[in-house]
Amino acid sequence: MGETKTLLRLGALALMWGSSFFWIKLGLEAFSPVQLVLARVTLGAAVLIGLCYLGRDRLPSGRRIWGHLAVAAFFHNALPFLLFAWGELTVDSGITGVLNSTTPLWVLVAAPMLGARTKMTGVRVAGLVAGLAGILLIFAPWEASGLFSWGALACLAAAASYGFAIVYEGKYLTGTGDSPMSLAGGQMLLATGFVLLAMPMGGFEPMHLSAGAVVAIVVLGIGSTGIAFALNYQLLASEGAVAASIVGYLLPVVSVLLGAVFLAESLNFRVIAGMVVVLGGVALTRIRPRERGTFATAPVVERPLATAGETTP
């Protein structure tokens, strides 16, 4: 049952985040990057806080928790959301997808820097490498333009920011006793404040409202931001940072399938092969080593190192 819940959460996150680049492109037709991100995080915060109160849950208390939430809000929401929105002004979705999919690799870089312990087996490393190879097959970045540009650099920096934030959240914001909904709500509330500070950087430009752009903002705010980040905290608590970041490999698969189903986009052999490789890589990351003569596919739970005054279980 635990594995089933994990796969369902991964699937839901892949669906919500995999479609987000499409909604961002649509929203940018009417809003500036800062306006789009502000609307996104504001809606996300409103949804999460509303759900907290409906469920008789409370926002986190204590300066320490809010300090950690502020770091998470900046590096997992405000900064990367703005960087991706700015980058998508000049970079096509294929390049954006490839660069966003480097997030699991950035998690591996950030984990030792933050003193977080990750149980990496040879099979799991092979899965990470295979997943990235599949992404490259799907998007064929060597055939696209804009790979070496400031927009692409912004998207790469956003992916690195995601990697750092996922490890940070796993170490400091899981096991606090607060619910995933309340943590995500507090984080999104702080992210809204950070984006408000960026309003002088294009936030007061004229808007060109359209029905499609408004729908895009609503979907981004409620689904890809509000509900998705509550699921993200649940996944972090049960699986750890590396496992939670694997969803980044599934996003292009979702976006390609959505394009084929709803936009009649063609699927060639290279893209289909890439999707198979990605799914195979993700499957490898779900395998744990043999223990006492058994071979199980239950996840390897990653636990953070103890901080001062704490002991690991």
Side-chain angles (χ1 to χ4, degrees), residues 31-42:
F31 301 95
S32 73
V34 176
Q35 291 167 348
L36 182 145
V37 174
L38 179 60
R40 177 181 182 179
V41 295
T42 301

Side-chain angles (χ1 to χ4, degrees), residues 266-291:
S266 60
L267 293 176
N268 57 39
F269 176 77
R270 173 179 52 77
V271 172
I272 294 174
M275 293 168 64
V276 171
V277 173
V278 167
L279 293 176
V282 171
L284 286 175
T285 66
R286 304 299 306 154
I287 297 174
R288 73 176 183 182
R290 289 179 182 271
E291 292 182 6

Side-chain angles (χ1 to χ4, degrees), residues 156-169:
L156 185 63
S161 186
Y162 279 154
F164 166 82
I166 290 171
V167 176
Y168 188 91
E169 290 163 353

Side-chain angles (χ1 to χ4, degrees), residues 130-143:
L132 184 59
I135 299 299
L136 294 174
L137 273 176
I138 291 173
F139 289 118
W142 52 86
E143 296 179 0

